[in-house]
Structure formats: structure tokens, C-alpha cells
């Protein structure tokens, strides 16, 4: 068999596999009984960080986030699925303005919510369902001489809820939404207050995982947004996102708050 024939066979196989995945994805997310909205967004705002493992002082400054938000509604089963992933970056400074701290966190969440239509108003949908959540990353304070890094890892299950109202503006589709994500129970990473990461590196791995619940960790995200159709399938999103996180484990107290304007663009696939 010549090299050209082999390349042709490989290309045909790849095309066949790709077509199979595409057909499967189409049947799953944009079948006639479903509506899918996919948005890429940028958050710009302010945030604050306090982590007593690094410093007892609260640092305030710029907050940025890049995110992908996908919402798929199943008309036949009244199920709404939400999938979101994002990366947060904060550049904050202490009150004196002479020390800075970098924060880089990534998160992923998945929710499947049951939808009640026209409750209590016409064109108003209310959705509630289970949530799976993961968040992890690092805080870096280059001014410290000892502990310069603090790791954040948290996985949990909880509740996701949304209310959406469908209307129009200048004869174009406008959807107003409020979404709240509330992790409830899970697991989180935390060293002891006086434990260096070097000790973990050389083998001290005991007592690093902790049961997380509202008694030692609280996390809530409020997301208000409007999706405005500016083309046949193009959607412009404008919104506001607020996140509050706090924890108290191993005598280490953390608190993070962010407020941000959300600007996004994406695709709204509506089928009848």
C-alpha cells in the first residue's frame, strides 16, 4: 500500500469520525425539541482577597474573567442544562498600595434544572436543580519572605436556580435572566496554619482534605444578564456578576468578593 493511499484512508476515517461526533452533538443539543445558547464573555470589575495564610490584610483591585456559558433547554422534558467554565484573574494591592497580590482561579460548573413555565407570570420561567461545581487555583504574594503562595481547591454539589423572562425590544428577541449558584457540601484543600508547602512537597500529605459545608465554607454566585438577538443567530449579552466566597479551616480565614460588568457574544439556536 502506497503512502498516498494510506493518507487517503486515514483522512476518510477522520472525516467519518468527525461527522459522527457532529451528528451526535447536533442530535443532543440542537434537535427540534431543544434550544441552545452558547456565549463567550468577558467580566471587568473590582475584587478583594483576604487569605490569612499569606496575609491578615485584605487586598483590593482589578478583577477580570473569561468564561464560556452554554444553556440547553429541552422542551419535551422541561429540562434546562447549564454548563459553564471560566478563568478569573485579580491584581490586587494592600491599603498602603506598596504590596500586590496575583490571583488566578479556574472553575467549572454543571447544572440540570427542572423548568416551570409561566410561573407566576406569562413568559416567566422558573428553574431549579442540582449543581456540580469545581474551583481551583493560586494566590501569589511576591512580597512575602516565607509563604508566598496559597492554593485553592474546592469541589462540591449544591443547587442552581434561574428565572428568565422572554420579551422583545425593537422587534428583536430579548431574554432577561437571573441565575444563582449555591454549592452546599463537598471537599476542600487546606494546609495547617503554620505548615509550609515545602513540607507537603517532601511527603507530609495527611490532613490536607477537609469536608466543606456552610459551617466552614460559603460560596454564592449571583448572575443577572440580558440576551439580545442582534442577528439571525447572534446574541449580545450584557450583565452583572457578583461572587462571594469565604472559608474558615485550620485557623486560616479566607474571603473573596467580586463585582463585575459582563459583556458577551455568542450563538442562539432556536428550533421549532
Amino acid at each position: 500500500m502506497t503512502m498516498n493511499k494510506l493518507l487517503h484512508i486515514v483522512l476518510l476515517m477522520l472525516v467519518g469520525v468527525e461527522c459522527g461526533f457532529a451528528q451526535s452533538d447536533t442530535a443532543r443539543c440542537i434537535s427540534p425539541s431543544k434550544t441552545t445558547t452558547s456565549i463567550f464573555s468577558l467580566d471587568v470589575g473590582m475584587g478583594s482577597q483576604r487569605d490569612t495564610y499569606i496575609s491578615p490584610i485584605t487586598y483590593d483591585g482589578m478583577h477580570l474573567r473569561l468564561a464560556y456559558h452554554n444553556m440547553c433547554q429541552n422542551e419535551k422534558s422541561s429540562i434546562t442544562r447549564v454548563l459553564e467554565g471560566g478563568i478569573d484573574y485579580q491584581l490586587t494591592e494592600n491599603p498602603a498600595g506598596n504590596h500586590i497580590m496575583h490571583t488566578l482561579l479556574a472553575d467549572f460548573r454543571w447544572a440540570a434544572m427542572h423548568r416551570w413555565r409561566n410561573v407566576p407570570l406569562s413568559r416567566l420561567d422558573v428553574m431549579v436543580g442540582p449543581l456540580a461545581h469545581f474551583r481551583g487555583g493560586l494566590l501569589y504574594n511576591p512580597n512575602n519572605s516565607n509563604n508566598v503562595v496559597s492554593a485553592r481547591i474546592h469541589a462540591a454539589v449544591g443547587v442552581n436556580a434561574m428565572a428568565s423572562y422572554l420579551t422583545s425590544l425593537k422587534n428583536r428577541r430579548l431574554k432577561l435572566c437571573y441565575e444563582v449558584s449555591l454549592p452546599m457540601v463537598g471537599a476542600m484543600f487546606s494546609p495547617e496554619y503554620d505548615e509550609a508547602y515545602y513540607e507537603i512537597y517532601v511527603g507530609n500529605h495527611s490532613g490536607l482534605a477537609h469536608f466543606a459545608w456552610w459551617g466552614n465554607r460559603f460560596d454564592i454566585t449571583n448572575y443577572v444578564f440580558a440576551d439580545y438577538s442582534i442577528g439571525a443567530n447572534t446574541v449580545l449579552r450584557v450583565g452583572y456578576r457578583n461572587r462571594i466566597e469565604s472559608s474558615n479551616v485550620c485557623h486560616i480565614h479566607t474571603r473573596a468578593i467580586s463585582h463585575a460588568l459582563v459583556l458577551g457574544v455568542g450563538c442562539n439556536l432556536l428550533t421549532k
Side-chain angles (χ1 to χ4, degrees), residues 96-156:
N98 57 356
H99 287 172
I100 63 172
M101 182 163 62
H102 301 275
T103 303
L104 185 64
L105 295 166
D107 60 75
F108 170 85
R109 67 182 177 93
W110 176 89
M113 300 176 290
H114 179 81
R115 182 170 77 259
W116 292 270
R117 301 180 183 179
N118 304 318
V119 178
L121 303 175
S122 175
R123 294 184 291 178
L124 176 64
D125 292 348
V126 176
M127 295 155 272
V128 179
L131 164 75
H133 158 93
F134 173 82
R135 187 163 171 85
L138 296 171
L139 279 69
Y140 172 62
N141 191 328
N143 308 108
N144 282 6
S145 58
N146 187 14
N147 297 329
V148 298
V149 172
S150 178
R152 300 272 181 88
I153 302 174
H154 176 238

Side-chain angles (χ1 to χ4, degrees), residues 37-213:
T37 304
S38 298
I39 302 289
F40 291 92
S41 62
L42 171 67
D43 294 21
V44 180
M46 301 298 294
S48 65
Q49 288 282 349
R50 181 173 182 262
D51 189 327
T52 57
Y53 184 83
I54 293 180
S55 172
I57 301 173
T58 299
Y59 284 60
D60 301 285
M62 174 189 68
H63 170 83
L64 298 174
R65 174 179 172 86
L66 290 173
Y68 171 73
H69 186 273
N70 179 281
M71 183 167 64
C72 187
Q73 292 186 330
N74 190 322
E75 300 296 335
K76 291 184 177 180
S77 64
S78 297
I79 296 297
T80 297
R81 175 199 39 86
V82 173
L83 174 70
E84 182 178 21
I87 298 176
D88 294 4
Y89 172 73
Q90 289 186 359
L91 178 61
T92 53
E93 61 181 18
N94 65 353
N98 57 356
H99 287 172
I100 63 172
M101 182 163 62
H102 301 275
T103 303
L104 185 64
L105 295 166
D107 60 75
F108 170 85
R109 67 182 177 93
W110 176 89
M113 300 176 290
H114 179 81
R115 182 170 77 259
W116 292 270
R117 301 180 183 179
N118 304 318
V119 178
L121 303 175
S122 175
R123 294 184 291 178
L124 176 64
D125 292 348
V126 176
M127 295 155 272
V128 179
L131 164 75
H133 158 93
F134 173 82
R135 187 163 171 85
L138 296 171
L139 279 69
Y140 172 62
N141 191 328
N143 308 108
N144 282 6
S145 58
N146 187 14
N147 297 329
V148 298
V149 172
S150 178
R152 300 272 181 88
I153 302 174
H154 176 238
V157 294
V159 176
N160 204 84
M162 178 184 290
S164 67
Y165 182 76
L166 184 62
T167 183
S168 62
L169 178 64
K170 294 185 177 181
N171 296 322
R172 293 185 180 272
R173 174 188 170 99
L174 176 64
K175 192 172 186 179
L176 307 175
C177 298
Y178 168 64
E179 184 178 12
V180 58
S181 301
L182 190 62
M184 299 176 67
V185 294
M188 63 180 294
F189 166 87
S190 178
E192 294 293 335
Y193 180 78
D194 56 354
E195 182 179 11
Y197 279 89
Y198 176 76
E199 299 177 50
I200 301 174
Y201 174 76
V202 297
N204 185 15
H205 299 154
S206 62
L208 298 177
H210 304 271
F211 177 71
W213 63 295

Side-chain angles (χ1 to χ4, degrees), residues 133 135 154 181-184 214 217-221 243-246:
H133 158 93
R135 187 163 171 85
H154 176 238
S181 301
L182 190 62
M184 299 176 67
W214 286 348
R217 193 185 193 281
F218 182 76
D219 182 354
I220 185 171
T221 302
R243 184 164 196 150
I244 302 173
E245 298 176 87
S246 65

